[in-house]
Amino acid sequence: CHRTKGKDEL
Amino acid sequence: MNIFRLAGDLSHLAAIIILLLKIWKTRSCAGISGKSQILFALVFTTRYLDLLTSFISLYNTFMKVVYIGCAYATVYLIYMKFKATYDGNHDTFRVEFLVVPVGGLAFLVNHDFSPLEILWTFSIYLESVAILPQLFLISKTGEAETITTHYLFCLGVYRALYLFNWIWRFYFEGFFDMIAIVAGVVQTILYCDFFYLYVTKVLKGKKLSLPA
């Protein structure tokens, strides 16, 4: 699973 | 940011504002589930705690603050200002049946076992089912005001657009978040029955009423 740090989506 | 994401966010914002304006203009929250609105306030509160820890963009911060502010304003209107018009007798969905299992699941299935991440996961799972008290209320009373159906439609469209956003991001950015995607699919499915009624009744100028 791959995810950016900090949530850019609301 | 892609067009699906932006349109989804704006649809979500439209839903929230439609609901606030409906309550404010009619001075009534009849037909609105206060329980769903409390759940949404809880969703935004637990999800946007990262406002305190990280800065993404002005857009991001602005929208998060607006969503949280509107959610609490809605709860205030329902339970304080226009309490007399609140449909408490019909708003009888047992929210503990949602919050407790969702809380447990957030502990068990998450990306990282840290407080912020568990709360974020909790908010994602909870959002996917937070509309159930509202749908339950409508099924109990057998009808919904047209403006309420516009609110629900915008909320459902927001989730559907996010699914397209994730397809886009998977192809063009290699990005995917399994927790968000599975919860988003569940959430969208919950709206399908409503979408059907919306298209077949409300868009043809009829009030949404369910057969007895």
Side-chain angles (χ1 to χ4, degrees), chain A:
Chain A
C1 191
H2 171 95
R3 206 160 50 80
T4 49
K5 264 292 165 203
K7 315 290 197 242
D8 69 322
E9 291 188 344
L10 295 169

Side-chain angles (χ1 to χ4, degrees), chain A, chain B residues 48 60 111 117 162 165-166 169 176-177:
Chain A
C1 191
H2 171 95
R3 206 160 50 80
T4 49
K5 264 292 165 203
K7 315 290 197 242
D8 69 322
E9 291 188 344
L10 295 169
Chain B
Y48 298 155
N60 190 277
H111 292 308
E117 192 64 31
Y162 255 70
N165 159 55
W166 290 323
R169 293 192 73 175
F176 77 97
D177 183 330

Side-chain angles (χ1 to χ4, degrees), chain B residues 105-194:
Chain B
L105 191 62
F107 261 94
L108 294 173
V109 185
N110 51 56
H111 292 308
D112 179 26
F113 201 77
S114 66
L116 264 190
E117 192 64 31
I118 290 171
L119 285 170
W120 177 85
T121 311
F122 171 77
S123 84
I124 293 289
Y125 294 152
L126 185 60
E127 186 191 351
S128 69
V129 293
I131 201 60
L132 287 178
Q134 179 65 58
L135 297 177
F136 182 70
L137 189 156
I138 291 174
S139 74
K140 267 198 114 176
T141 60
E143 58 176 27
E145 285 176 63
T146 300
I147 187 76
T148 306
T149 66
H150 295 330
Y151 161 71
L152 285 169
F153 181 72
C154 286
L155 263 191
V157 165
Y158 140 66
R159 261 305 143 179
L161 285 166
Y162 255 70
L163 295 185
F164 290 111
N165 159 55
W166 290 323
I167 293 169
W168 178 283
R169 293 192 73 175
F170 178 71
Y171 278 107
F172 294 102
E173 299 167 30
F175 168 99
F176 77 97
D177 183 330
M178 199 44 92
I179 287 177
I181 290 171
V182 171
V185 168
V186 169
Q187 190 172 349
T188 310
I189 290 172
L190 291 182
Y191 284 88
C192 284
D193 184 42
F194 167 78

Side-chain angles (χ1 to χ4, degrees), chain B residues 80-92:
Chain B
M80 311 279 277
K81 196 163 175 59
F82 301 124
K83 191 182 193 332
T85 63
Y86 170 55
D87 225 354
N89 289 336
H90 289 121
D91 193 13
T92 50

Side-chain angles (χ1 to χ4, degrees), chain B residues 16 94 102 167 173:
Chain B
I16 292 168
R94 300 281 297 271
V102 155
I167 293 169
E173 299 167 30

